[in-house]
Amino acid sequence: MLFRALYGQWRMGPGGPVALDYLAIEPVARLLRIKPADAAAAFEALQVMEGAALTTIHERAQRELQSLR
């Protein structure tokens, strides 16, 4: 739920997204009523999803770039 709520909160670099905007996590977690006791586990899960998403995004971009050659 937290990952989906942060959908538009990516930090962008010249090659596309590089990371979630960590400044947005706490206020969004509060809006979602994530308990402070659950925050560490939620953040750890978020980082796993962030890494997987970035890998997928960059692999797709690489394939698209190669198909243009």
Side-chain angles (χ1 to χ4, degrees):
M1 182 174 13
L2 181 58
F3 183 75
R4 281 190 291 180
L6 292 165
Y7 174 76
Q9 300 301 316
W10 288 96
R11 293 282 179 156
M12 301 299 284
V18 294
L20 283 171
D21 182 353
Y22 283 16
L23 294 175
I25 295 172
E26 185 178 355
V28 171
R30 277 197 312 265
L31 286 171
L32 295 174
R33 301 188 192 287
I34 294 174
K35 297 174 187 169
D38 299 329
F43 183 68
E44 184 177 331
L46 182 68
Q47 287 185 306
V48 170
M49 290 180 267
E50 174 191 34
L54 285 169
T55 297
T56 300
I57 290 166
H58 292 292
E59 284 174 352
R60 284 183 184 170
Q62 195 67 18
R63 283 194 306 269
E64 287 178 17
L65 184 61
Q66 289 175 352
S67 73
L68 295 174
R69 293 180 183 171

